[in-house]
Amino acid sequence: MNSQIDSPINQPVSEDWHSQEEPNVKERNLTVNPGDRIADRPQNIEEKAKQVAVDVPDITGDWIKVPTYFIVEYPNGEKKALHHIKDAKEISDVIRQARVDENGNRIWW
């Protein structure tokens, strides 16, 4: 059995701060979480639907995953990507409208 390895073994470890190619979140002085940021370039609805704002376990160990954009389809067929922070009021309005009809019955459109 040959214990020599021909190529180096690269294990996934944290890089030293001085060897990083670009500044980290703290060094860039961002005021929001990276997942909360709106992209610099225009995105289509499919690209927005894939963005994740939060993807971490909470204190109970449950895994929490929150999309950056909530995709809403209106009764007329229009689809809209609502940003979970910037469009929070509109998201609340959609949820409120979807909750009950004029007779108080729970419906989704």
Side-chain angles (χ1 to χ4, degrees):
M1 180 177 198
N2 187 356
S3 63
Q4 287 185 329
I5 299 174
D6 294 337
S7 60
I9 298 174
N10 294 319
Q11 292 185 285
V13 295
S14 298
E15 293 183 26
D16 293 330
W17 64 269
H18 53 77
S19 65
Q20 295 175 356
E21 291 182 20
E22 56 184 64
N24 65 28
V25 173
K26 195 171 188 177
E27 293 165 339
R28 291 180 3 213
N29 296 320
L30 296 177
T31 57
V32 297
N33 294 325
D36 297 338
R37 295 188 66 221
I38 296 173
D40 296 331
R41 64 169 184 77
Q43 294 179 301
N44 63 36
I45 200 162
E46 288 81 16
E47 291 172 315
K48 289 180 179 181
K50 292 178 184 176
Q51 285 184 253
V52 177
V54 176
D55 190 8
V56 295
D58 69 3
I59 195 165
T60 68
D62 290 336
W63 204 268
I64 306 298
K65 195 169 198 174
V66 178
T68 302
Y69 291 90
F70 290 91
I71 309 303
V72 177
E73 186 172 347
Y74 292 95
N76 65 2
E78 175 192 9
K79 287 184 181 178
K80 196 171 181 183
L82 301 177
H83 189 271
H84 75 282
I85 295 173
K86 185 182 96 175
D87 301 316
K89 184 178 181 322
E90 190 171 350
I91 291 170
S92 293
D93 292 343
V94 168
I95 292 169
R96 217 175 347 275
Q97 291 170 8
R99 226 183 310 188
V100 293
D101 65 10
E102 59 277 353
N103 298 320
N105 299 316
R106 187 174 290 268
I107 60 164
W108 287 95
W109 306 120

